[in-house]
Amino acid sequence: MFKLFNIDAHFLESAISRIMTNVDKDSDAMISPQEFYQLLSQKFEKGDPKSEIQDVFNRMDKNHDGQLDIDEMHEVSTILGENIPKSEIKDMIKMFNRKYQEDLKKYNMDKKKPNSGAKEPVEPRTLDMEDFYSVMQEDL
C-alpha cells in the first residue's frame, strides 16, 4: 500500500506488522478480499468527501481511462502483498458493477417469461468511479 502512494516503506516494518495484525483477522498471513475491503473501509465512511475516494480511484487507474480493469486491480492487490487470482478479481468486478447487476436482474426476470428471447448480459471487465464510490460507501 505504501508503494501505491509512493512512500518509502523500508523504515515502516513495525507499522506494516501492526497493519497485518489489525487486518488479518483469521491469522492466515494473508489479506482476504473481505479483509482487504475492511482495510479500505477504515479509510472511507459514509459522508466522506467523494474527492478523497476519487483521488484513490485515480491513483489506481494507471491508464487514466476512468475505469479500473482487472489488471489495474490485480496490480493494487499485488502491491498490497496479496496473490488474488485474476479470476477472483473478475468475480469482484461482476459483483460491484452496478449496470451489470441491474442487467442481470432484468435478464433473470425476463428469462422466466415464455418466448422472452432474453439474452444474458455481457460480463463487465471494469468498474467506473461510481461503482467504486458505491462499494466504498457500502456496509458489506
Side-chain angles (χ1 to χ4, degrees), residues 34-89:
Q34 293 80 13
E35 291 166 337
F36 176 65
Y37 173 78
Q38 290 299 327
L39 174 63
L40 290 178
S41 296
Q42 290 175 7
K43 164 109 173 89
F44 300 118
E45 297 177 3
K46 288 183 192 273
D48 280 352
K50 193 172 186 176
S51 60
E52 290 180 14
I53 296 171
Q54 178 79 52
D55 185 51
V56 171
F57 179 89
N58 291 342
R59 289 174 187 258
M60 293 171 67
D61 182 18
K62 297 294 185 187
N63 63 6
H64 307 290
D65 66 351
Q67 303 286 320
L68 295 180
D69 62 32
I70 293 168
D71 292 330
E72 289 166 331
M73 293 178 72
H74 187 260
E75 181 180 341
V76 170
S77 71
T78 302
I79 289 170
L80 292 173
E82 290 305 308
N83 188 19
I84 300 173
K86 288 187 177 184
S87 61
E88 195 169 319
I89 292 171

Side-chain angles (χ1 to χ4, degrees), residues 80-109:
L80 292 173
E82 290 305 308
N83 188 19
I84 300 173
K86 288 187 177 184
S87 61
E88 195 169 319
I89 292 171
K90 184 178 177 183
D91 289 341
M92 287 181 205
I93 289 173
K94 285 172 35 179
M95 182 187 316
F96 296 123
N97 184 294
R98 294 168 308 130
K99 177 160 179 14
Y100 175 75
Q101 288 299 318
E102 289 170 16
D103 292 347
L104 187 62
K105 183 188 267 187
K106 184 179 183 313
Y107 165 74
N108 286 328
M109 289 174 47

Side-chain angles (χ1 to χ4, degrees), residues 5-23:
F5 294 103
N6 296 321
I7 298 172
D8 183 13
H10 79 278
F11 60 91
L12 298 172
E13 293 298 326
S14 65
I16 293 169
S17 295
R18 283 194 313 270
I19 289 170
M20 283 302 291
T21 300
N22 291 331
V23 175

